[in-house]
Amino acid sequence: MDEVVIYTDGACSNNPGIGGWGAVLMYGEHKKEISGAEELTTNNRMELSAAIHAMKCLKRPCIVNLFTDSSYLCNAFNQNWIWVWVRNGWKTSNKKDVENQDLWQELLRLIRIHKVNWHKVKGHADNEYNNRCDELARNAVNELRKSLKSKGAL
């Protein structure tokens, strides 16, 4: 299996509010940057969206080393929260519905295709690719904000 490195980040202006996500995918000498934004979302949804969109770019099953500054995303897999949620019918330990189930379910579908290793990095520090993902996400937010303003929606 090919080995791919992915960095992801999400951003949200007000929470909920306009949000963006960014990802950098690297395979050998190849590098691809992707980003997107949504009008009304949360930071956690954008963190999940970044990982989902990045993995959807992969054309065949891969070993993925995914780096994120999101404890929410990383811990769900590294501390096995996700499997407890699935076993409990998408309920938390407090018997509340797990938030963002639609995105978690899509992410689960994708990780069944790939072998994903989740890595937590410190956000807004000196990690070049984490910083680039943050920049991509913020730029996507700004572009969406400009578009909405030009349409009189803001």
Side-chain angles (χ1 to χ4, degrees):
M1 288 175 75
D2 293 328
E3 192 164 331
V4 177
V5 173
I6 298 175
Y7 280 81
T8 65
D9 197 22
C12 198
S13 177
N14 298 321
N15 204 16
I18 297 174
W21 56 266
V24 177
L25 296 87
M26 293 172 281
Y27 171 68
E29 295 179 12
H30 304 283
K31 182 165 63 169
K32 179 175 185 161
E33 296 181 345
I34 60 172
S35 62
E38 294 181 22
E39 282 185 50
L40 184 60
T41 189
T42 65
N43 190 62
N44 283 339
R45 287 190 70 80
M46 293 295 91
E47 297 285 359
L48 292 167
S49 293
I52 289 167
H53 286 281
M55 282 196 266
K56 282 183 174 181
C57 290
L58 304 176
K59 296 178 177 156
R60 59 187 164 275
C62 295
I63 296 169
V64 177
N65 284 294
L66 193 142
F67 295 83
T68 177
D69 63 9
S70 170
S71 295
Y72 178 65
L73 176 56
C74 205
N75 290 345
F77 292 98
N78 288 342
Q79 295 185 15
N80 296 314
W81 300 347
I82 190 93
W83 308 116
V84 173
W85 296 337
V86 168
R87 188 177 61 240
N88 292 340
W90 291 100
K91 299 285 183 190
T92 67
S93 58
N94 297 334
K95 307 293 184 219
K96 295 182 180 176
D97 288 337
V98 171
E99 292 184 16
N100 306 310
Q101 283 180 47
D102 57 330
L103 298 179
W104 286 119
Q105 289 170 358
E106 178 67 5
L107 200 49
L108 277 177
R109 185 186 71 75
L110 291 165
I111 68 162
R112 288 184 174 117
I113 298 169
H114 308 287
K115 163 96 173 77
V116 183
N117 302 303
W118 302 91
H119 305 277
K120 173 78 170 65
V121 297
K122 185 174 181 180
H124 310 284
D126 61 353
N127 185 298
E128 172 188 357
Y129 295 113
N130 178 256
N131 289 338
R132 179 61 181 148
C133 290
D134 182 61
E135 182 180 18
L136 290 167
R138 286 184 289 110
N139 288 346
V141 167
N142 291 336
E143 288 301 313
L144 179 55
R145 185 176 286 121
K146 283 183 206 171
S147 174
L148 293 170
K149 281 183 181 176
S150 72
K151 294 175 185 172
L154 280 183

